[in-house]
Amino acid sequence: MTSPTAIRLLALLLVATLAVPATTEATTAVLVDDLALVQHSSAIVIGWVTDIKSYADPVDGRIWTLVGLNVDEVLKGALAPGPMTIRQLGGSVGGLMSWIQGSPEFTRGEKTLLFLDQHRDGALRVAHLFQGKF
């Protein structure tokens, strides 16, 4: 037979477990073939990563990363070779970090082929998460 103290302890543990909010993280990446990647991209460039800087948006607090590029070649789009910046959601500012699973990662000095599209405000970003960076 179970004692009343054991039942109370079990009930308390159950309530404590249910009171802790669950954290769920998920990213859905719809894989696209090469032709669709080319068609959905507003620009395709080859260049070198020159700078990486993250900041917190003063309005909504979201963390963004600006990736500076020196573009050698434009394969698609109305961009000119030379310096340009793309903006990716996520990054690290002070002790805060935000990351979107499947986002491309960049390293200063790396040469990269990028398939780009635009945020609503017109800023360029890598298209289709990790699929848009080679």
Side-chain angles (χ1 to χ4, degrees):
M1 191 173 238
T2 307
S3 73
T5 304
I7 293 173
R8 282 189 210 120
L9 182 59
L10 184 59
L12 181 62
L13 286 172
L14 180 61
V15 169
T17 302
L18 295 175
V20 176
T23 302
T24 305
E25 296 181 13
T27 300
T28 301
V30 178
L31 298 178
V32 297
D33 61 30
D34 294 342
L35 181 60
L37 186 58
V38 170
Q39 290 173 336
H40 295 157
S41 299
S42 58
I44 303 170
V45 300
I46 298 173
W48 299 87
V49 177
T50 59
D51 197 26
I52 303 169
K53 292 181 184 175
S54 296
Y55 70 94
D57 186 297
V59 176
D60 61 18
R62 290 190 297 176
I63 296 176
W64 295 91
T65 296
L66 300 175
V67 180
L69 301 167
N70 187 18
V71 175
D72 292 334
E73 199 172 345
V74 178
L75 305 174
K76 179 182 178 183
L79 302 173
M84 67 175 288
T85 302
I86 62 172
R87 188 178 77 203
Q88 294 293 122
L89 187 57
S92 181
V93 175
L96 299 175
M97 183 176 175
S98 172
W99 182 252
I100 307 300
Q101 292 294 331
S103 290
E105 295 184 47
F106 293 91
T107 305
R108 281 184 189 90
E110 77 174 316
K111 186 172 185 178
T112 185
L113 166 65
L114 296 175
F115 292 77
L116 304 172
D117 65 8
Q118 295 179 317
H119 292 280
R120 288 185 185 141
D121 66 3
L124 292 170
R125 66 178 174 197
V126 177
H128 296 281
L129 298 169
F130 63 89
Q131 297 173 81
K133 179 184 181 258
F134 293 89

